[in-house]
Amino acid sequence: MLRQALLAVSRSGRAERLVSTSPLTKDVVRRYVADDVGAVVSELTRDGLLVSVDHLGEEVTDRAQAEGEVHAYLALLGRLPEGADVSVKLTALGLRLGEQLALDNAATICEHAALRGITLTLDAEEHDTIPGLHFVHATLRKEHPGVGIVVQAYLPDARERCARLAELDGARVRLCKGAYTAPGAYTSAGDIDRSFVRCLRVLMSGAAYPMVATHDPRLVEIASTLAVLHGRDTSAFEHQMLYGVRSEEQRRLAALGSRMRVYVPYGADWYPYLMRRLAERPRNLAFFLRSLLSRR
């Protein structure tokens, strides 16, 4: 129930105004959202970590906004090292205005990213965007086979979608639990975890490149075990975690030789992102509230 409430709050303009204008919010946001993205990326890279950077923004309502998002990503590419990744939400590129517009904008970012040895991953969003997500991914992959896609385990068809993607040689598939709501979706932690493991088995046994996006210690261990069972070395899959969450574990995995990528969000449109992170990990709500109420 708390998760559902937090997801509802993430869509509330009134709550956003209240939280965003609080003078006590800034320190909380900086824990999860990069203030100086260049400095954060440099620090993570020095520590042996890979990055996937997300310019926060979604659900744009006109072409000018979508064009602004493209320009933001093109500017970002010049601040990232080779081997980095950018995560892009298609609704930020105009998906609500048309699939072709989102495709064209994503292709522009892909073309510039490829010149710098940087990949692009298409982020998952609300369940009604999934057909557009797969259309754009399949079309882009014809010329940009390195483009990635996200599958959310909380959706009951996640295993079937992973099975189709697993047939694509080298397809980059980020598997996460999911941070939205949908009709018929799994809601209990146990059901979502079991779906996640089913998806993991499919991806690890297939031809795709799995990107295991979870902070759950048990699922991290299961992923590593399945990789060994299916003959994958540390170059054949990667772990992914969020900036500001389990940072010591991120560095521990990197020190062991694992490919460990940190998802780094930045930008002014942080409110929906932060609320969804709290919904994914409600235990963080206590930290958030303490920070807001603190007068340090």
Side-chain angles (χ1 to χ4, degrees):
M1 291 179 64
L2 178 57
R3 182 176 185 272
Q4 300 301 315
L6 287 169
L7 288 173
V9 168
S10 75
R11 296 185 285 269
S12 168
R14 182 178 180 182
E16 180 174 1
R17 288 190 296 274
L18 178 64
V19 174
S20 299
T21 57
S22 169
L24 305 174
T25 301
K26 184 176 181 180
D27 287 343
V28 183
V29 175
R30 289 180 65 181
R31 171 170 174 166
Y32 302 102
V33 178
D35 187 32
D36 182 339
V37 68
V40 168
V41 168
S42 294
E43 179 183 356
L44 293 171
T45 302
R46 284 196 302 271
D47 289 344
L49 298 161
L50 303 169
V51 296
S52 182
V53 182
D54 174 15
H55 180 255
L56 294 173
E58 55 194 85
E59 300 292 351
V60 306
T61 56
D62 62 55
R63 288 175 175 266
Q65 288 178 302
E67 185 177 335
E69 284 297 315
V70 174
H71 289 318
Y73 273 101
L74 297 186
L76 170 66
L77 294 174
R79 307 174 70 182
L80 300 181
E82 184 177 356
D85 178 72
V86 290
S87 288
V88 178
K89 288 182 172 59
L90 287 176
T91 64
L93 301 185
L95 182 63
R96 297 296 188 191
L97 303 172
E99 289 183 351
Q100 189 63 46
L101 175 62
L103 171 61
D104 291 344
N105 286 334
T108 296
I109 300 172
C110 270
E111 289 162 6
H112 285 78
L115 296 174
R116 303 188 63 87
I118 295 170
T119 55
L120 180 147
T121 299
L122 301 172
D123 239 333
E125 301 183 70
E126 297 282 1
H127 66 95
D128 63 334
T129 66
I130 290 175
L133 172 70
H134 283 276
F135 164 75
V136 173
H137 176 256
T139 307
L140 280 179
R141 203 169 182 274
K142 294 174 183 177
E143 294 190 15
H144 303 282
V147 66
I149 190 170
V150 178
V151 176
Q152 301 174 102
Y154 86 109
L155 293 170
D157 68 340
R159 184 188 180 282
E160 287 69 28
R161 287 193 288 121
C162 283
R164 291 192 293 272
L165 291 165
E167 295 176 355
L168 305 176
D169 188 28
R172 297 172 56 252
V173 183
R174 177 191 294 158
L175 176 65
C176 66
K177 290 188 179 184
Y180 296 88
T181 58
Y186 300 123
T187 56
S188 75
D191 285 341
I192 295 172
D193 286 357
R194 284 186 284 274
S195 175
F196 195 100
V197 173
R198 289 194 295 270
C199 291
L200 267 181
R201 290 195 178 107
V202 169
L203 292 174
M204 289 293 184
S205 64
Y209 174 80
M211 302 182 290
V212 186
T214 181
H215 308 95
D216 187 321
R218 188 170 61 92
L219 294 178
V220 169
E221 185 62 29
I222 289 173
S224 298
T225 300
L226 286 172
V228 172
L229 290 175
H230 291 287
R232 290 180 179 265
D233 61 24
T234 54
S235 67
F237 77 105
E238 67 184 49
H239 297 284
Q240 295 191 354
M241 295 185 187
L242 299 172
Y243 175 66
V245 182
R246 301 198 72 201
S247 299
E248 291 185 6
E249 176 66 2
Q250 294 171 13
R251 286 166 173 77
R252 185 189 74 83
L253 288 169
L256 291 174
S258 297
R259 290 175 60 82
M260 176 67 242
R261 193 177 302 273
V262 182
Y263 184 99
V264 181
Y266 80 103
D269 192 17
W270 52 262
Y271 176 80
Y273 171 83
L274 180 60
M275 290 301 107
R276 288 196 296 268
R277 297 295 76 77
L278 295 176
E280 282 183 309
R281 294 172 59 84
R283 76 184 81 172
N284 288 338
L285 182 61
F287 168 82
F288 180 68
L289 292 176
R290 282 197 305 270
S291 301
L292 285 179
L293 295 173
S294 170
R295 297 194 178 275
R296 291 179 288 121

